[in-house]
Amino acid sequence: MIRTRLKTILNDCFQAGVPRHGWPEEAASAFTVEQPKREGQGDLATNLALVVAGRSRQNPRAVAAQLVELLDGCPLLDRVEIAGPGFVNFFIRPQVWQETLSEIAAQDAGFGKSQAGAGKRVLVEFVSANPTGPLSVGHGRQAVLGDAISRLLAATGHQVTREYYYNDAGRQMRVLAQSVRARYLELLGEPGQFPEDGYQGQYIIDIARELLAEQGDRLRGSDDLAPFKVKAERAIFADINATLTRLGIHFDNYYNEHSLYDEGHIDAVVAELRAKGLVYEQDGAVWFKTTALGLDQDRVIIKSTGEPTYRLPDIAYHREKFKRGFDWLVNIFGSDHIATVPDVLAGVRALGYDDSKVTVVLHQFVTLLRDGKQVKMSTRKATFVTVDELLAEVGADVARFFFLMRKADSQLEFDLTLATQQSQENPVYYVQYGHARLCSILRQADEKGLDGPSQARLALLTEPEELGLLKAMSAYPELVLEAARELAPHRVVFYLQELAGQFHSYYNRHRVLGEDASLSQARLALVDGLRIVLRNGLNLIGVSAPESM
RNA sequence: GCGCCAGUAGCUCAGCAGGAUAGAGCAACGGCCUUCUAAGCCGUAGGUCGCAGGUUCGAGCCCUGCCUGGCGCGCCA
């Protein structure tokens, strides 16, 4: 917040410096304002002089001196210093930090939100697991990541639609239906039908058992897979939705791949690509000439059996996303889908859409760790750990927090031993406990009949820890903007851990409710502000902010 | 063979559009509860940022090559 204000002021100074000192115009967007790492280097610092000097062969310290002169009389600043190779360090007046508390209190739940993405319609596609089985921990990571990214985008003013794309036709579902039928027949005393690549999980048997209860043995002789497919799809989708709900995730829309066929979009895409000379027949299959679009090999889009490969509906689906009027398409995929991305983007480009409006967030895999040892998982043997099993152990808050502790690019090691500890080692509770503590102080003040938080004497907040907290709180809106820009919710998680830590430290050193009534009121204002920021941050990642623990 | 991701403290990971003397949590060691919640705090120790070059005022971050691990390279999704 303060940083942004200072940046604005520096932009003005820069514009003044261009004619007056011959600063190079093109450096306008290159300089930054940051928090220095070390004590004594001010509250904020800029590399403006270094950037300007680097592009105009001037002495950086001389440019810094010119900047300092231009800044003369700035109301935010207590003093400025030129340091090192030409950094300009800013010492902000304490009052400026203290006043942020009034803004936080006034904005309350709105603090941290912005309109940076106003008017931008963005579609976030994630999970998109076909209904063949319960969600695995890998899906869990994706679900939480997609949801948190959606929250970040919404908090920055984007108009967000969360969408789940699925396919209930095709080979996978056929095998699923066959698996259910085999289990059904086994229950009727006819074993031996289980398909080679069938789904082996217990849930298939459960579905078969339900089917048996509902239908008796009347499906025994039929060759029709439809009843098995329909039953399995319904049961599994209900299960998936229940899991997502437990994780606190809802979708605005479920997009069925099949509708792309029904509405003729698949044929239309093929026709369009064919008209552009990007399609040809070979070996009985239809190929998409991706080599003409800069890729290293052509790809089959319709198999010789007449069935499209996943690629074709994927392209048609993206075409529909654009046609539905979205300005930005964000896809969250597991890294095993990496190979499909270039093909889809090529298809989008070939159809005349701007593929720079598609952002793909690829996340790496999840491994589970228990007692320092990796938990072995296999999809085929259905020995993978499901999100439901995970939730039964650790709960939604912990699951969400842990899934967001790493950036998407990093593999995520989920330490179950740490996650199940209801104690100090667990970072989730560390942050939540901070919030509960803050609420507790406010409660105590209320119960003791003390005067509540007051903005009247904020000037009393002069302890280094207090100013440190105010600075951190003031940085929250920028943090949200950056996390949204980078689609990186882990930034919020790290911020919260840091802020909670600063507060715990402050709490142990200074007393909020003390003898001095004015000081207590000012500190209560600080406490209330912290409560708001921690709560808003936790909301942003979908983790609850308990008022007591 | 090719593509993408990763390689930073014993372990798991941050490092914010190239910035100043590289950070956190866990584990280890030593302290702090008659006072607003000890699910907390304070302190100690811990590093050739995979390796080698390059770019520049400045590189963990950018470029090139190599090494290691993960994921892919299907008429599976």
Side-chain angles (χ1 to χ4, degrees):
Chain A
M1 205 161 59
I2 305 303
R3 195 174 101 190
T4 306
R5 281 169 65 186
L6 187 60
K7 181 76 200 282
T8 307
I9 290 166
L10 287 175
N11 281 335
D12 293 345
C13 288
F14 179 82
Q15 290 309 327
V18 170
R20 191 179 306 183
H21 300 297
W23 293 353
E25 186 77 53
E26 67 271 17
S29 56
F31 66 88
T32 57
V33 179
E34 299 185 352
Q35 274 193 39
K37 294 186 182 80
R38 304 194 63 82
E39 289 286 317
Q41 296 176 340
D43 302 310
L44 293 164
T46 185
N47 62 352
L48 185 145
L50 291 162
V51 171
V52 166
R55 298 183 189 224
S56 62
R57 301 192 160 275
Q58 300 182 56
N59 180 335
R61 291 190 66 107
V63 174
Q66 293 165 354
L67 173 62
V68 170
E69 193 195 328
L70 286 167
L71 278 164
D72 191 41
C74 173
L76 290 185
L77 301 175
D78 191 13
R79 62 194 166 90
V80 290
E81 281 176 6
I82 299 169
F87 287 100
V88 177
N89 295 336
F90 303 103
F91 295 81
I92 306 291
R93 294 170 55 214
Q95 189 190 341
V96 175
W97 298 119
Q98 291 152 359
E99 281 164 359
T100 63
L101 281 180
S102 314
E103 296 183 44
I104 293 170
Q107 294 179 36
D108 201 354
F111 183 68
K113 292 186 181 167
S114 68
Q115 289 303 312
K120 213 167 183 189
R121 294 187 60 203
V122 48
L123 182 83
V124 183
E125 181 207 332
F126 60 111
V127 184
S128 295
N130 289 338
T132 58
L135 297 181
S136 68
V137 288
H139 294 121
R141 180 179 194 187
Q142 180 169 146
V144 171
L145 182 62
D147 183 61
I149 285 174
S150 299
R151 286 172 194 251
L152 276 170
L153 292 173
T156 45
H158 298 81
Q159 195 180 322
V160 179
T161 300
R162 294 167 166 84
E163 191 155 284
Y164 185 129
Y165 174 69
Y166 71 99
N167 176 18
D168 61 355
R171 204 190 75 88
Q172 279 190 13
M173 294 302 287
R174 206 158 51 234
V175 173
L176 176 72
Q178 285 164 354
S179 304
V180 173
R181 180 169 65 183
R183 295 304 190 204
Y184 172 83
L185 293 175
E186 280 172 19
L187 292 170
L188 290 169
E190 292 182 32
Q193 309 271 330
F194 199 77
E196 179 79 15
D197 50 357
Y199 292 89
Q200 303 198 29
Q202 171 65 33
Y203 65 97
I204 299 289
I205 299 171
D206 296 340
I207 292 167
R209 197 163 278 143
E210 278 179 45
L211 203 53
L212 184 63
E214 289 164 16
Q215 302 279 346
D217 66 351
R218 86 177 62 132
L219 300 173
R220 184 200 291 261
S222 165
D223 279 340
D224 187 10
L225 280 172
F228 299 100
K229 197 205 95 165
V230 169
K231 173 69 192 172
E233 180 184 336
R234 283 207 188 124
I236 291 171
F237 244 131
D239 203 49
I240 288 175
N241 279 322
T243 303
L244 291 169
T245 300
R246 275 194 285 280
L247 272 176
I249 294 169
H250 80 278
F251 283 88
D252 300 303
N253 199 27
Y254 289 78
Y255 198 101
N256 188 342
E257 179 184 315
H258 201 258
S259 67
L260 293 166
Y261 294 87
D262 294 346
E263 291 161 25
H265 300 314
I266 299 290
D267 293 341
V269 165
V270 177
E272 221 174 301
L273 292 176
R274 195 184 296 276
K276 291 175 190 280
L278 292 168
V279 160
Y280 63 92
E281 268 84 19
Q282 187 183 302
D283 304 331
V286 179
W287 294 70
F288 180 22
K289 203 190 279 180
T290 28
T291 48
L293 298 161
L295 303 189
D296 60 350
Q297 53 181 309
D298 292 341
R299 300 289 185 175
V300 170
I301 50 174
I302 301 176
K303 301 184 238 177
S304 51
T305 60
E307 248 181 321
T309 64
Y310 67 89
R311 234 170 247 118
L312 177 53
D314 270 8
I315 293 168
Y317 175 40
H318 280 77
R319 175 173 170 267
E320 283 317 293
K321 289 182 182 175
F322 277 113
K323 285 193 163 182
R324 285 155 68 197
F326 291 102
D327 305 301
W328 187 16
L329 310 179
V330 175
N331 298 338
I332 321 288
F333 293 156
S335 62
D336 54 334
H337 280 61
I338 186 159
T340 77
V341 174
D343 299 338
V344 173
L345 292 183
V348 164
R349 251 182 290 133
L351 293 169
Y353 295 98
D354 180 359
D355 68 346
S356 73
K357 291 182 172 176
V358 181
T359 304
V360 177
V361 177
L362 289 167
H363 65 88
Q364 299 290 321
F365 285 168
V366 178
T367 53
L368 291 175
L369 209 69
R370 192 192 295 282
D371 301 327
K373 275 176 281 187
Q374 197 164 319
V375 179
K376 291 212 181 92
M377 289 188 277
S378 152
T379 309
R380 265 192 56 73
K381 296 179 191 157
T383 58
F384 56 83
V385 176
T386 65
V387 174
D388 284 333
E389 288 161 352
L390 183 67
L391 287 176
E393 265 195 82
V394 303
D397 282 342
V398 172
R400 290 191 66 115
F401 197 94
F402 271 68
F403 277 137
L404 294 174
M405 279 201 301
R406 306 285 173 250
K407 63 181 173 195
D409 282 341
S410 291
Q411 287 182 42
L412 190 151
E413 192 160 87
F414 197 118
D415 188 341
L416 283 165
T417 310
L418 179 62
T420 48
Q421 273 180 54
Q422 303 223 341
S423 69
Q424 47 194 33
E425 286 82 22
N426 195 322
V428 189
Y429 300 130
Y430 184 79
V431 175
Q432 289 183 318
Y433 183 59
H435 181 265
R437 243 185 183 172
L438 290 159
C439 290
S440 172
I441 296 170
L442 292 163
R443 238 182 351 255
Q444 288 268 334
D446 193 43
E447 284 164 8
K448 288 181 180 169
L450 303 173
D451 291 327
S454 164
Q455 318 290 321
R457 304 291 300 276
L458 295 181
L460 296 172
L461 300 174
T462 54
E463 297 287 351
E465 292 86 357
E466 289 167 339
L467 291 170
L469 282 164
L470 290 170
K471 287 177 205 172
M473 293 158 79
S474 154
Y476 177 71
E478 284 125 3
L479 169 94
V480 176
L481 279 169
E482 281 167 19
R485 178 172 53 76
E486 295 169 16
L487 304 178
H490 77 278
R491 295 280 305 272
V492 179
V493 172
F494 278 87
Y495 173 86
L496 289 172
Q497 292 186 92
E498 170 66 28
L499 186 66
Q502 276 191 55
F503 164 63
H504 285 310
S505 182
Y506 172 67
Y507 176 91
N508 273 274
R509 188 170 306 211
H510 300 287
R511 210 181 154 76
V512 175
L513 305 175
E515 302 298 314
D516 183 336
S518 299
L519 182 61
S520 292
Q521 279 184 283
R523 287 185 171 172
L524 280 170
L526 176 68
V527 163
D528 200 40
L530 279 166
R531 176 188 65 82
I532 290 169
V533 177
L534 275 187
R535 182 203 58 199
N536 291 359
L538 285 167
N539 279 344
L540 198 49
I541 56 171
V543 175
S544 70
E547 294 184 7
S548 63
M549 289 175 74

